[in-house]
Amino acid sequence: MKLHKLLYYCQGIHLAHVGEPAFPETISAWDMGPVVGSLWKAEADGTTTPATTPATAELDNATLGTISYVISTYGNLSGADLSKLTHQETPWIRGDEERRRRGEPSAKIRTEWIGDYFSNPARDEDEAVVDADMIRKWLSEVAASPEPRPGEPATRESLAAWAQRAA
């Protein structure tokens, strides 16, 4: 559960501050909050391998910065805590309303809903966990940092080393 919520936050923060999705997979509203459906299915089928997870695609500096920021900001929260948090946010609420109206177990949370929500200055004023100015400053500094290993896909180890250098 926690991974799906962290991916949702990566998508939202990346959309708001970089202007494009961090990954192409669809995020859907489920009872437990936002879920990356293709990853959930792969997990349920036991077919998750590094080649089938969104986090193993080649990542640019901005995406690495977004991931590092999300992990450092939300990583200490439990899956249940993150689920409660996302249930208070407009993108999941809109998706959940659509899902319930159609009587289906899930409904797509549109990328534009996520981007609009995370880009909204009023949200930033009410958000206790995230400081928008800090994100903007941190992402701009990270974007100027060199790639962990230019031309090679990021690994957990290279991401951790890079995040340490960027901090």
Side-chain angles (χ1 to χ4, degrees), residues 4-162:
H4 292 270
K5 304 325 169 240
L6 292 174
L7 287 169
Y8 162 79
Y9 282 112
C10 284
Q11 191 75 302
I13 290 169
H14 202 73
L15 283 163
H17 298 284
V18 179
E20 59 188 40
F23 54 88
E25 289 80 7
T26 298
I27 299 175
S28 299
W30 291 26
D31 279 338
M32 67 194 79
V35 171
V36 179
S38 59
L39 178 59
W40 184 271
K41 181 173 178 2
E43 290 170 334
D45 293 343
T47 60
T48 55
T49 64
T52 63
T53 58
T56 60
E58 286 194 33
L59 304 173
D60 61 20
N61 280 342
T63 306
L64 290 170
T66 298
I67 293 167
S68 294
Y69 176 79
V70 168
I71 291 170
S72 68
T73 302
Y74 296 97
N76 289 331
L77 298 174
S78 70
D81 290 338
L82 291 167
S83 184
K84 288 176 191 172
L85 190 60
T86 61
H87 276 73
Q88 299 172 37
E89 298 175 345
T90 305
W92 180 83
I93 293 169
R94 289 179 74 178
D96 188 53
E97 288 170 354
E98 174 119 352
R99 163 182 93 83
R100 291 178 187 274
R101 188 173 36 69
R102 294 190 329 222
E104 297 181 2
S106 69
K108 180 179 180 180
I109 299 175
R110 296 181 185 199
T111 304
E112 56 268 19
W113 298 347
I114 299 170
D116 289 348
Y117 175 75
F118 281 88
S119 297
N120 183 348
R123 175 206 164 268
D124 293 335
E125 292 170 10
D126 294 335
E127 181 63 60
V129 177
V130 178
D131 177 77
D133 291 332
M134 185 180 78
I135 294 171
R136 287 184 193 100
K137 180 180 181 294
W138 195 80
L139 286 175
S140 68
E141 291 170 358
V142 169
S145 299
E147 296 257 345
R149 293 186 180 180
E152 292 183 23
T155 64
R156 284 191 170 118
E157 293 79 18
S158 67
L159 177 58
W162 175 80

